[in-house]
Amino acid sequence: MPTPVLMPQMGESIAEGTIVRWIKKVGDAVDRDEPLFEISTDKVDAEIPAPAAGVLTEIKVKEGETVAVNTEVATIGSSSEVAQQHPAQEVPEAPPPDTGDRQDAVESAPGKPAPPPRKTNGRSAGAKPAVDEDPRKQRSSPLVRRIARDNDIDISQIHGSGLGGRVTKNDILGYIGAGTRDPGPGIRETPEPSRSRTPDSGFRSPSPGSRVEIKPLSVMRKKIAEHMVMSRRTSAHVHSVFHVNFSTVERIRQQKKGEFEQLGTRLTYMAFIAKAVVSALRRFPIVNASLDGDNVIYKKDINLGIAVALESGLIVPVIKHADEKNLLGLSRAIADIAARARSKQLKPEEVQDGTFTITNPGQFGSQFGMPIINQPQVAILGVGTIEKRPIVVDDAIAIRTMAYLTLGYDHRLVDGATGDQFMAEVKQQIENFRCGADIAGGVVGTHHEPCPR
């Protein structure tokens, strides 16, 4: 019996997913739990395993298409079923009838009269029965509703471009940016495909004969663009830059890296930085908080997001309860989430509920950057390149391992004095790192005794 393959529910707040790539083709044999296709959602990119063993007999959703969760995207059956399906697909008996989607396309085409909708048993074709749910929840995600609440916007006034009229982040951000009311379902404005951008962007179409290559944005790049623009509109960004001495940390790394390798992980600068950030967040809980309208939400857990660069963009997996881990635990956790992020093996819950983010542009040689806050958090730490530099020590020039650390924070909640005090604590923790001998038992970084010099 054929087994349907469904678009999975990749998180409580996720309503749809985009198929980025089919790993298997029609006619290919698949084993149960073998990667079948790759999807991208608001939260995570992931490879989806096959629900059963057999042959991929039909693909119903093409690459690049976005569909609601629980939509059937493919079928797994036997090889004989593939042979039976191909003739019917190659030689259709008649053109497919107009559907509700085609009707919408005709209505939106300028200069063409819209034919009356087909009716079946007294109802228009494609009409869906009414659902006894709050239409606002039915037509938008929790993130969209939060943006609407923060900006005092009635979602019902926005014409949604998503599945079933769902209001997407692009819809509400465009509505906010335009500063005008949505024309409503009776008046539809269809922008030219090549000019779907803000009027004041300054973009001009390439002139005839120009040597250019035009490619659509990937799903991940679209998500990153939406999140970054939304963050800049939401938070009052301020940045503080501190020059930090990593010489003590470097000395510990050289002395302890062999022991860490025997325990199956590498001792990196990022583990020390994460440990220092955790200590500072305990002292300044406002930096670990978030804003919800007129309320401040103080997070009791410290969940560190670690930005990981991918070939196609950036993703921020989260180390939950980072304050409960020692240096060894943080080293293992950072290596684990980075490896699984690059191999697209993260679970949806592993990119949610972060309370503070660390990003590391310094690994590519950047001296420092001005990172954008990862909403709904109120602060982010940027790590510049860590290298030996000449500095003044006791009125003499000395060589030390140094780096610039940048804190980006939301001035709506975090004042400059608080942000600088937080960074001063991070600096103090790194420059005066203390340790003990039992690195596996949790002593390293707990201030038991000074590290040997």
Side-chain angles (χ1 to χ4, degrees), residues 82-103:
V82 179
Q84 292 173 3
Q85 288 181 21
H86 278 293
Q89 291 175 350
E90 292 172 359
V91 188
E93 294 181 1
D98 286 343
T99 64
D101 289 341
R102 182 172 176 81
Q103 177 72 24

Side-chain angles (χ1 to χ4, degrees), residues 174-378:
Y175 181 84
I176 295 171
T180 57
R181 292 207 171 270
D182 188 85
I187 304 175
R188 297 190 179 185
E189 299 175 0
T190 306
E192 298 178 23
S194 62
R195 297 185 179 273
S196 56
R197 54 184 65 84
T198 55
D200 59 349
S201 65
F203 180 85
R204 296 293 179 269
S205 296
S207 57
S210 298
R211 292 175 58 82
V212 299
E213 181 181 7
I214 300 175
K215 292 183 177 181
L217 279 177
S218 66
V219 174
M220 177 174 282
R221 281 255 63 94
K222 288 180 182 178
K223 303 299 183 186
I224 292 173
E226 292 169 6
H227 287 304
M228 295 300 97
V229 171
M230 186 266 286
S231 181
R232 295 294 280 183
R233 285 175 172 163
T234 302
S235 296
H237 280 69
V238 180
H239 294 85
S240 294
V241 182
F242 276 60
H243 205 194
V244 180
N245 188 338
F246 277 79
S247 297
T248 298
V249 165
E250 174 61 12
R251 190 161 45 246
I252 298 171
R253 285 185 67 245
Q254 295 303 322
Q255 293 170 349
K256 301 290 185 181
K257 65 180 182 180
E259 297 177 47
F260 272 64
E261 288 173 358
Q262 290 178 2
L263 293 167
T265 189
R266 293 174 58 238
L267 182 55
T268 64
Y269 290 115
M270 184 59 70
F272 289 91
I273 294 168
K275 191 70 177 174
V277 165
V278 166
S279 296
L281 289 173
R282 285 199 189 109
R283 284 201 59 191
F284 299 92
I286 192 70
V287 184
N288 198 54
S290 64
L291 267 177
D292 182 18
D294 294 332
N295 299 318
V296 180
I297 302 175
Y298 289 91
K299 310 293 179 61
K300 301 300 183 181
D301 297 325
I302 296 178
N303 300 332
L304 285 186
I306 306 294
V308 177
L310 309 176
E311 290 184 4
S312 56
L314 188 77
I315 195 168
V316 186
V318 177
I319 300 174
K320 302 290 179 67
H321 308 292
D323 52 325
E324 298 176 3
K325 298 183 183 295
N326 62 356
L327 199 66
L328 177 62
L330 287 171
S331 296
R332 285 174 168 167
I334 292 169
D336 174 60
I337 60 174
R340 288 192 293 111
R342 294 186 179 104
S343 62
K344 300 182 179 179
Q345 300 298 318
L346 290 173
K347 300 175 183 177
E349 60 269 20
E350 291 177 311
V351 292
Q352 298 178 5
D353 302 324
T355 60
F356 186 94
T357 295
I358 303 174
T359 183
N360 184 20
Q363 64 183 310
F364 305 111
S366 174
Q367 292 293 307
F368 59 85
M370 301 294 171
I372 298 175
I373 297 167
N374 187 15
Q375 297 294 325
Q377 299 165 26
V378 296

Side-chain angles (χ1 to χ4, degrees), residues 14 16-18 39-45 66 143 166 168-170 173 217-231 312 314:
I14 295 176
E16 61 189 15
T18 300
I39 70 167
S40 181
T41 72
D42 285 355
K43 298 294 184 182
V44 67
D45 287 3
T66 302
L143 175 60
R166 180 171 172 265
T168 67
K169 285 181 291 185
N170 274 340
L173 292 178
L217 279 177
S218 66
V219 174
M220 177 174 282
R221 281 255 63 94
K222 288 180 182 178
K223 303 299 183 186
I224 292 173
E226 292 169 6
H227 287 304
M228 295 300 97
V229 171
M230 186 266 286
S231 181
S312 56
L314 188 77

